[in-house]
Amino acid sequence: MERNYTFTGDFSPQAVAGVLSIEMILALIANGVVLVITIYQRKSWKQSSTIFFTSLILAHLFMILYLPFTITALAAGEWIIGSTDEEKEGTCDFTGFLIIYCVYVMLMILSLISIDRFLFIVKPHLHKRFMSPRVALVLVIIVWIVTAVLFSSGFINGSGIVYQYVENLGGCYVYTTGPIASVIRYLFASLILSIIIITSIWTFCFTRKFINNQSMIVGESVYASKKKRLFGIFGSMLLVYGICFAPGTFLSSFFAIIDAPDKLNISALVLYLLAFILSPVIQSYFRPEINSVIVNIIYHKMMKKLNQSYYQTTSSNTSKTNTNSLDL
């Protein structure tokens, strides 16, 4: 069956392409800075949390690979990536796979971070004993492989998962057509969310005990800031992901039965991609090894400018004084 690859939406595709381009650049900068600093800070790799947060950054960067395809298609008003229908179908299916793959990798990594934080706060001795960087790396690799295998079924006809160009949105997306695939997909998502909710509630129940008794046992970590703000990095990231992902998740879940306006759908996509900018910003604020480097760089630059301004002012005053002395 021949697909239609021409844009038919009721919004300006060129304007949306411009907005997505800005988001892509900002996301590349934010995630790139955090990744480079993390690689530079070798001592932080001794913590399991570094493995998990770095994996999250890598998922963001993989997700950004989706944007050039969609931006090009929106700017051209049609899907032009590929010279033949078979090539267009292949690139379209790849981008559809990419968006759902990265979303579920991020959700699973968030659940691992929630478990890691739970053990760190509630069972610190177990955390030190079992949650080593090597274990964290193995868990992350399993997440990436299992998620890839699960959603690769979308490339098989009749699997119930379809990657297709959506004419009124100007991009390639994923949706489930079969009841079995829908049940598996949402049971998978429900399991991930249940893990996050249960471990988070349990963790907060031990907040006071952690603040009063456990901080000396567990030592330094990204989960224990100076002010012991337990909401901290994980709570802030959940808030960002929740706000940014909720509209798109709702609309995609009922894509087949709800005919939402095109502008609402594309706005949900823009908001969804905003999470990939805000999440690394949150990491750079709460992670001490990232924050210290950024602060030092900014501080040194400010001090350098202040010193240059001071020397210029001093030399200028000295020159004026010498000139006045000669006149006398």
Side-chain angles (χ1 to χ4, degrees), residues 245-314:
F245 282 12
T249 302
F250 175 80
L251 292 174
S252 64
S253 300
F254 300 97
F255 185 78
I257 58 177
I258 294 180
D259 189 16
D262 297 340
K263 292 180 180 178
L264 180 61
N265 284 321
I266 204 66
S267 297
L269 175 64
V270 172
L271 181 63
Y272 165 80
L273 294 170
L274 186 63
F276 306 118
I277 302 172
L278 298 178
S279 179
V281 171
I282 290 172
Q283 287 200 39
S284 64
Y285 177 77
F286 282 101
R287 290 176 61 185
E289 70 275 15
I290 306 295
N291 184 272
S292 61
V293 173
I294 294 175
V295 170
N296 286 336
I297 291 173
I298 295 174
Y299 174 77
H300 287 315
K301 284 187 175 181
M302 289 180 63
M303 289 301 296
K304 186 177 180 180
K305 287 183 178 180
L306 288 173
N307 289 332
Q308 287 177 348
S309 176
Y310 172 77
Y311 286 128
Q312 287 175 357
T313 304
T314 303

Coordinates of all heavy atoms in Angstrom, one line a residue, residues 245-314:
F245 N 5.8 15.6 29.3 CA 5.4 14.4 28.6 C 3.8 14.2 28.7 O 3.3 13.5 27.8 CB 6.0 13.2 29.2 CG 7.5 13.0 28.8 CD1 8.1 14.0 28.1 CD2 8.1 11.8 29.0 CE1 9.5 13.8 27.7 CE2 9.5 11.6 28.6 CZ 10.1 12.6 28.0
A246 N 3.2 14.7 29.7 CA 1.8 14.4 29.9 C 0.9 14.7 28.7 O 0.1 13.8 28.3 CB 1.3 15.2 31.1
P247 N 0.9 15.9 28.1 CA 0.0 16.2 27.0 C 0.2 15.2 25.8 O -0.7 14.7 25.2 CB 0.3 17.6 26.6 CG 0.9 18.2 27.8 CD 1.7 17.1 28.5
G248 N 1.5 15.0 25.4 CA 1.8 14.2 24.3 C 1.4 12.7 24.6 O 0.9 12.0 23.7
T249 N 1.7 12.3 25.8 CA 1.3 10.9 26.2 C -0.2 10.7 26.1 O -0.7 9.7 25.6 CB 1.8 10.6 27.6 OG1 3.2 10.8 27.7 CG2 1.4 9.1 28.0
F250 N -1.0 11.7 26.6 CA -2.4 11.5 26.6 C -2.9 11.5 25.1 O -3.8 10.7 24.8 CB -3.0 12.7 27.3 CG -4.6 12.8 27.3 CD1 -5.3 11.9 28.1 CD2 -5.2 13.6 26.3 CE1 -6.7 12.0 28.0 CE2 -6.6 13.6 26.3 CZ -7.3 12.8 27.1
L251 N -2.4 12.4 24.3 CA -2.9 12.5 22.9 C -2.5 11.3 22.1 O -3.3 10.8 21.3 CB -2.4 13.8 22.3 CG -2.9 15.1 22.8 CD1 -2.2 16.3 22.2 CD2 -4.4 15.2 22.6
S252 N -1.3 10.8 22.3 CA -0.9 9.6 21.6 C -1.6 8.4 22.0 O -1.8 7.5 21.2 CB 0.6 9.4 21.7 OG 1.0 9.2 23.1
S253 N -2.0 8.3 23.3 CA -2.7 7.2 23.8 C -4.1 7.0 23.2 O -4.6 5.9 22.9 CB -2.8 7.2 25.3 OG -1.6 7.3 25.9
F254 N -4.7 8.2 22.9 CA -6.1 8.1 22.3 C -6.1 8.7 20.9 O -7.0 9.3 20.4 CB -7.0 8.9 23.2 CG -7.1 8.4 24.6 CD1 -6.3 9.0 25.6 CD2 -7.9 7.4 24.9 CE1 -6.4 8.5 26.9 CE2 -8.0 6.9 26.2 CZ -7.3 7.5 27.2
F255 N -4.9 8.5 20.2 CA -4.7 9.0 18.9 C -5.8 8.5 17.9 O -6.3 9.2 17.0 CB -3.4 8.7 18.3 CG -3.0 9.3 17.0 CD1 -2.6 10.6 16.9 CD2 -3.1 8.5 15.9 CE1 -2.3 11.1 15.7 CE2 -2.8 9.1 14.6 CZ -2.4 10.4 14.5
A256 N -6.2 7.2 18.1 CA -7.1 6.6 17.1 C -8.6 7.0 17.4 O -9.4 6.9 16.5 CB -7.0 5.1 17.2
I257 N -8.9 7.5 18.6 CA -10.3 7.8 18.9 C -10.6 9.2 19.1 O -11.7 9.7 19.1 CB -10.8 6.9 20.1 CG1 -9.9 7.2 21.3 CG2 -10.8 5.5 19.8 CD1 -10.4 6.5 22.6
I258 N -9.5 10.0 19.4 CA -9.7 11.5 19.6 C -9.1 12.2 18.4 O -7.9 12.1 18.1 CB -9.0 11.9 20.9 CG1 -9.7 11.3 22.1 CG2 -9.0 13.4 21.1 CD1 -9.1 11.6 23.5
D259 N -9.9 13.0 17.8 CA -9.4 13.9 16.7 C -9.0 15.2 17.2 O -9.8 16.2 17.1 CB -10.5 13.9 15.6 CG -10.0 14.6 14.3 OD1 -8.7 14.7 14.2 OD2 -10.8 15.0 13.5
A260 N -7.9 15.3 17.8 CA -7.4 16.6 18.4 C -7.0 17.6 17.4 O -6.5 17.1 16.3 CB -6.3 16.3 19.4
P261 N -7.1 18.9 17.6 CA -6.6 19.9 16.6 C -5.1 19.7 16.3 O -4.4 19.3 17.2 CB -6.9 21.2 17.3 CG -8.0 20.9 18.3 CD -7.7 19.5 18.7
D262 N -4.7 20.0 15.1 CA -3.3 19.8 14.7 C -2.4 20.7 15.5 O -1.3 20.3 15.9 CB -3.2 20.1 13.2 CG -3.9 19.2 12.3 OD1 -4.3 18.1 12.8 OD2 -4.2 19.5 11.2
K263 N -2.9 21.9 15.8 CA -2.0 22.9 16.6 C -1.8 22.4 18.0 O -0.8 22.6 18.6 CB -2.7 24.2 16.6 CG -2.7 24.9 15.2 CD -3.4 26.3 15.3 CE -3.4 27.0 13.9 NZ -4.1 28.3 13.9
L264 N -2.8 21.7 18.6 CA -2.7 21.1 19.9 C -1.7 20.0 19.9 O -0.8 19.9 20.8 CB -4.0 20.6 20.4 CG -4.1 20.0 21.8 CD1 -3.6 21.0 22.9 CD2 -5.4 19.5 22.2
N265 N -1.7 19.1 18.9 CA -0.8 18.0 18.8 C 0.6 18.5 18.6 O 1.5 18.0 19.2 CB -1.2 17.1 17.6 CG -2.4 16.3 17.9 OD1 -2.6 15.7 19.0 ND2 -3.3 16.1 16.9
I266 N 0.8 19.5 17.7 CA 2.2 19.9 17.5 C 2.7 20.7 18.7 O 3.9 20.7 19.0 CB 2.3 20.8 16.2 CG1 3.7 20.8 15.6 CG2 1.8 22.2 16.4 CD1 4.2 19.4 15.2
S267 N 1.8 21.4 19.4 CA 2.2 22.1 20.7 C 2.7 21.1 21.7 O 3.6 21.3 22.5 CB 1.1 22.9 21.2 OG 0.7 23.9 20.3
A268 N 2.0 19.9 21.8 CA 2.4 18.8 22.7 C 3.8 18.3 22.3 O 4.6 18.0 23.2 CB 1.4 17.7 22.6
L269 N 4.1 18.2 21.0 CA 5.4 17.8 20.6 C 6.5 18.8 21.0 O 7.6 18.4 21.5 CB 5.5 17.6 19.1 CG 6.8 17.2 18.5 CD1 7.3 15.9 19.0 CD2 6.8 17.2 17.0
V270 N 6.2 20.1 20.8 CA 7.2 21.1 21.2 C 7.4 21.1 22.7 O 8.6 21.2 23.2 CB 6.7 22.5 20.8 CG1 7.6 23.6 21.4 CG2 6.6 22.6 19.3
L271 N 6.4 20.9 23.5 CA 6.5 20.8 25.0 C 7.2 19.6 25.4 O 8.1 19.6 26.3 CB 5.1 20.9 25.6 CG 5.1 20.8 27.2 CD1 5.7 22.0 27.8 CD2 3.6 20.7 27.7
Y272 N 7.0 18.5 24.7 CA 7.7 17.2 25.0 C 9.2 17.3 24.8 O 9.9 16.9 25.6 CB 7.1 16.2 24.0 CG 7.9 14.9 23.9 CD1 7.8 13.9 24.9 CD2 8.7 14.7 22.8 CE1 8.5 12.7 24.7 CE2 9.4 13.5 22.7 CZ 9.3 12.5 23.6 OH 10.1 11.4 23.5
L273 N 9.6 18.0 23.7 CA 11.0 18.2 23.4 C 11.7 19.1 24.4 O 12.9 19.1 24.5 CB 11.2 18.6 22.0 CG 10.8 17.6 20.9 CD1 10.8 18.2 19.6 CD2 11.7 16.4 21.0
L274 N 10.9 20.0 25.1 CA 11.5 20.9 26.0 C 12.1 20.2 27.2 O 13.1 20.7 27.8 CB 10.4 21.9 26.5 CG 10.8 23.0 27.4 CD1 11.8 24.0 26.7 CD2 9.6 23.8 27.9
A275 N 11.7 19.0 27.5 CA 12.2 18.2 28.6 C 13.7 17.9 28.4 O 14.5 17.8 29.3 CB 11.4 16.9 28.8
F276 N 14.1 17.8 27.1 CA 15.5 17.4 26.8 C 16.4 18.6 27.0 O 17.7 18.4 26.9 CB 15.6 16.9 25.4 CG 14.7 15.7 25.2 CD1 13.7 15.8 24.2 CD2 14.8 14.6 25.9 CE1 12.8 14.7 24.0 CE2 13.9 13.5 25.8 CZ 12.9 13.6 24.8
I277 N 15.9 19.8 27.2 CA 16.7 21.0 27.5 C 16.7 21.2 29.0 O 17.8 21.4 29.6 CB 16.1 22.2 26.9 CG1 16.1 22.0 25.3 CG2 16.9 23.5 27.2 CD1 15.3 23.1 24.6
L278 N 15.6 21.0 29.7 CA 15.5 21.3 31.1 C 16.1 20.2 32.0 O 16.7 20.5 33.0 CB 14.0 21.4 31.5 CG 13.2 22.6 30.8 CD1 11.8 22.6 31.3 CD2 13.9 23.9 31.2
S279 N 16.0 18.9 31.5 CA 16.6 17.8 32.3 C 18.1 18.0 32.5 O 18.6 17.9 33.7 CB 16.3 16.5 31.7 OG 16.8 15.4 32.4
P280 N 18.9 18.2 31.5 CA 20.3 18.4 31.8 C 20.6 19.7 32.6 O 21.6 19.7 33.3 CB 20.9 18.5 30.4 CG 19.8 18.8 29.5 CD 18.6 18.2 30.1
V281 N 19.8 20.7 32.5 CA 20.0 21.9 33.3 C 19.8 21.6 34.7 O 20.5 22.0 35.6 CB 19.0 23.0 32.8 CG1 19.0 24.2 33.8 CG2 19.3 23.5 31.4
I282 N 18.8 20.7 35.0 CA 18.6 20.3 36.4 C 19.8 19.5 36.9 O 20.2 19.6 38.0 CB 17.3 19.4 36.5 CG1 16.1 20.3 36.3 CG2 17.2 18.7 37.8 CD1 14.8 19.6 36.2
Q283 N 20.3 18.6 36.0 CA 21.5 17.8 36.4 C 22.7 18.7 36.7 O 23.4 18.5 37.7 CB 21.9 16.8 35.3 CG 20.9 15.7 35.2 CD 21.6 14.5 34.4 OE1 22.8 14.3 34.6 NE2 20.8 13.8 33.6
S284 N 22.9 19.7 35.9 CA 24.0 20.7 36.1 C 23.8 21.5 37.4 O 24.8 21.9 38.0 CB 24.1 21.6 34.9 OG 23.0 22.4 34.8
Y285 N 22.6 21.6 37.9 CA 22.4 22.4 39.1 C 22.6 21.5 40.3 O 23.2 21.9 41.3 CB 21.0 23.0 39.1 CG 20.6 23.7 40.4 CD1 21.1 25.0 40.6 CD2 19.8 23.1 41.4 CE1 20.8 25.7 41.8 CE2 19.5 23.8 42.6 CZ 20.0 25.0 42.8 OH 19.7 25.7 43.9
F286 N 22.1 20.3 40.3 CA 22.1 19.4 41.5 C 23.3 18.5 41.6 O 23.7 18.2 42.7 CB 20.8 18.6 41.5 CG 19.6 19.3 42.0 CD1 18.7 19.7 41.1 CD2 19.4 19.5 43.3 CE1 17.5 20.4 41.5 CE2 18.2 20.2 43.7 CZ 17.3 20.6 42.8
R287 N 23.9 18.1 40.5 CA 25.1 17.3 40.6 C 26.3 18.1 40.9 O 26.7 19.0 40.2 CB 25.3 16.5 39.3 CG 24.2 15.5 39.0 CD 24.4 14.9 37.6 NE 25.7 14.2 37.5 CZ 26.1 13.6 36.3 NH1 25.4 13.7 35.2 NH2 27.3 13.0 36.3
P288 N 26.9 17.8 42.1 CA 28.0 18.7 42.6 C 29.2 18.7 41.6 O 29.9 19.7 41.4 CB 28.4 18.1 43.9 CG 27.8 16.7 43.9 CD 26.6 16.7 43.1
E289 N 29.5 17.5 41.0 CA 30.7 17.5 40.1 C 30.5 18.3 38.8 O 31.4 18.8 38.2 CB 31.0 16.0 39.7 CG 30.0 15.3 38.8 CD 28.9 14.7 39.5 OE1 28.6 15.0 40.7 OE2 28.2 13.8 39.0
I290 N 29.2 18.5 38.4 CA 28.9 19.3 37.2 C 28.8 20.7 37.6 O 29.4 21.6 37.0 CB 27.6 18.8 36.6 CG1 27.6 17.3 36.3 CG2 27.3 19.7 35.4 CD1 28.6 17.0 35.2
N291 N 28.1 21.0 38.7 CA 27.9 22.4 39.2 C 29.2 23.1 39.5 O 29.4 24.3 39.2 CB 27.0 22.3 40.4 CG 26.6 23.7 40.9 OD1 27.3 24.3 41.7 ND2 25.5 24.2 40.4
S292 N 30.1 22.4 40.2 CA 31.4 23.0 40.6 C 32.2 23.5 39.4 O 32.8 24.5 39.4 CB 32.2 22.0 41.4 OG 32.5 20.9 40.7
V293 N 32.2 22.6 38.3 CA 33.0 23.0 37.1 C 32.3 24.2 36.4 O 33.1 25.2 36.0 CB 33.0 21.8 36.1 CG1 33.7 22.2 34.8 CG2 33.8 20.7 36.7
I294 N 31.0 24.2 36.3 CA 30.4 25.3 35.6 C 30.5 26.6 36.4 O 30.8 27.7 35.9 CB 28.9 25.0 35.4 CG1 28.7 23.9 34.5 CG2 28.1 26.3 34.9 CD1 27.3 23.4 34.3
V295 N 30.4 26.5 37.7 CA 30.5 27.7 38.6 C 32.0 28.2 38.5 O 32.2 29.4 38.4 CB 30.2 27.4 40.0 CG1 30.6 28.5 41.0 CG2 28.7 27.1 40.2
N296 N 32.9 27.3 38.5 CA 34.3 27.7 38.5 C 34.7 28.4 37.1 O 35.4 29.4 37.1 CB 35.3 26.5 38.6 CG 35.3 26.1 40.1 OD1 35.1 26.8 41.0 ND2 35.6 24.8 40.3
I297 N 34.1 27.9 36.0 CA 34.4 28.5 34.7 C 33.8 29.9 34.7 O 34.4 30.9 34.2 CB 33.8 27.6 33.6 CG1 34.6 26.3 33.5 CG2 33.8 28.4 32.3 CD1 34.0 25.3 32.5
I298 N 32.5 30.0 35.1 CA 31.8 31.3 35.1 C 32.6 32.3 36.1 O 32.8 33.5 35.7 CB 30.4 31.2 35.6 CG1 29.6 30.4 34.5 CG2 29.7 32.6 35.7 CD1 28.2 30.1 34.9
Y299 N 33.0 31.8 37.2 CA 33.7 32.6 38.2 C 35.0 33.2 37.6 O 35.3 34.3 37.8 CB 33.9 31.8 39.5 CG 34.8 32.6 40.5 CD1 34.2 33.6 41.3 CD2 36.1 32.2 40.7 CE1 35.0 34.2 42.3 CE2 36.9 32.9 41.6 CZ 36.3 33.9 42.4 OH 37.1 34.5 43.3
H300 N 35.8 32.3 37.0 CA 37.1 32.7 36.5 C 36.9 33.7 35.3 O 37.7 34.6 35.2 CB 37.8 31.4 35.9 CG 38.4 30.6 37.0 ND1 39.0 31.1 38.1 CD2 38.3 29.2 37.2 CE1 39.4 30.1 38.9 NE2 39.0 28.9 38.4
K301 N 35.9 33.5 34.5 CA 35.6 34.4 33.4 C 35.2 35.8 34.0 O 35.7 36.8 33.5 CB 34.6 33.9 32.5 CG 35.0 32.8 31.6 CD 34.0 32.4 30.6 CE 34.5 31.4 29.6 NZ 33.5 31.1 28.5
M302 N 34.4 35.8 35.0 CA 34.0 37.1 35.6 C 35.1 37.8 36.3 O 35.3 39.0 36.1 CB 32.8 36.8 36.6 CG 31.5 36.4 36.0 SD 30.2 36.1 37.2 CE 30.1 37.7 38.0
M303 N 35.9 37.0 37.0 CA 37.1 37.6 37.6 C 38.1 38.1 36.6 O 38.7 39.2 36.8 CB 37.8 36.6 38.5 CG 37.0 36.2 39.8 SD 36.7 37.6 40.8 CE 38.4 38.0 41.3
K304 N 38.3 37.4 35.5 CA 39.2 37.9 34.5 C 38.7 39.2 33.9 O 39.5 40.1 33.6 CB 39.3 36.8 33.4 CG 40.3 37.1 32.3 CD 40.4 36.0 31.3 CE 41.4 36.3 30.2 NZ 41.5 35.2 29.2
K305 N 37.4 39.3 33.6 CA 36.8 40.5 33.1 C 36.9 41.7 34.1 O 37.2 42.8 33.7 CB 35.4 40.3 32.7 CG 35.2 39.5 31.4 CD 33.7 39.4 31.1 CE 33.5 38.5 29.8 NZ 32.1 38.4 29.4
L306 N 36.7 41.4 35.3 CA 36.8 42.4 36.4 C 38.2 42.9 36.5 O 38.5 44.1 36.6 CB 36.3 41.9 37.7 CG 34.8 41.7 37.8 CD1 34.5 41.0 39.2 CD2 34.1 43.0 37.8
N307 N 39.2 42.0 36.4 CA 40.6 42.3 36.5 C 41.0 43.2 35.3 O 41.8 44.2 35.4 CB 41.5 41.1 36.6 CG 41.4 40.4 37.9 OD1 41.1 41.1 38.9 ND2 41.6 39.1 38.0
Q308 N 40.6 42.8 34.1 CA 40.9 43.6 32.9 C 40.3 45.0 33.0 O 40.9 45.9 32.6 CB 40.3 42.8 31.7 CG 41.1 41.6 31.3 CD 40.5 40.9 30.1 OE1 39.4 41.2 29.7 NE2 41.2 39.9 29.5
S309 N 39.1 45.0 33.5 CA 38.4 46.3 33.6 C 39.2 47.2 34.6 O 39.3 48.4 34.5 CB 37.0 46.1 34.1 OG 36.3 47.4 34.3
Y310 N 39.6 46.5 35.7 CA 40.3 47.3 36.8 C 41.7 47.8 36.3 O 42.0 49.0 36.5 CB 40.6 46.3 38.0 CG 41.5 46.9 39.0 CD1 41.0 47.9 39.9 CD2 42.8 46.5 39.1 CE1 41.8 48.4 40.9 CE2 43.6 47.0 40.1 CZ 43.1 48.0 41.0 OH 44.0 48.6 41.9
Y311 N 42.4 47.0 35.5 CA 43.7 47.4 35.0 C 43.5 48.5 34.0 O 44.3 49.4 33.9 CB 44.5 46.2 34.4 CG 45.0 45.3 35.5 CD1 44.7 43.9 35.4 CD2 45.8 45.8 36.5 CE1 45.3 43.0 36.4 CE2 46.3 44.9 37.5 CZ 46.0 43.5 37.4 OH 46.5 42.7 38.4
Q312 N 42.5 48.4 33.1 CA 42.2 49.4 32.1 C 41.9 50.8 32.8 O 42.4 51.8 32.4 CB 41.1 49.0 31.2 CG 41.5 47.9 30.2 CD 40.3 47.4 29.4 OE1 39.2 47.9 29.6 NE2 40.6 46.5 28.5
T313 N 41.1 50.7 33.9 CA 40.7 51.9 34.6 C 42.0 52.5 35.3 O 42.2 53.7 35.2 CB 39.6 51.6 35.6 OG1 38.5 51.0 35.0 CG2 39.2 52.9 36.3
T314 N 42.8 51.6 35.9 CA 44.0 52.1 36.6 C 45.0 52.7 35.6 O 45.5 53.8 35.9 CB 44.6 50.9 37.3 OG1 43.7 50.3 38.2 CG2 45.8 51.4 38.1

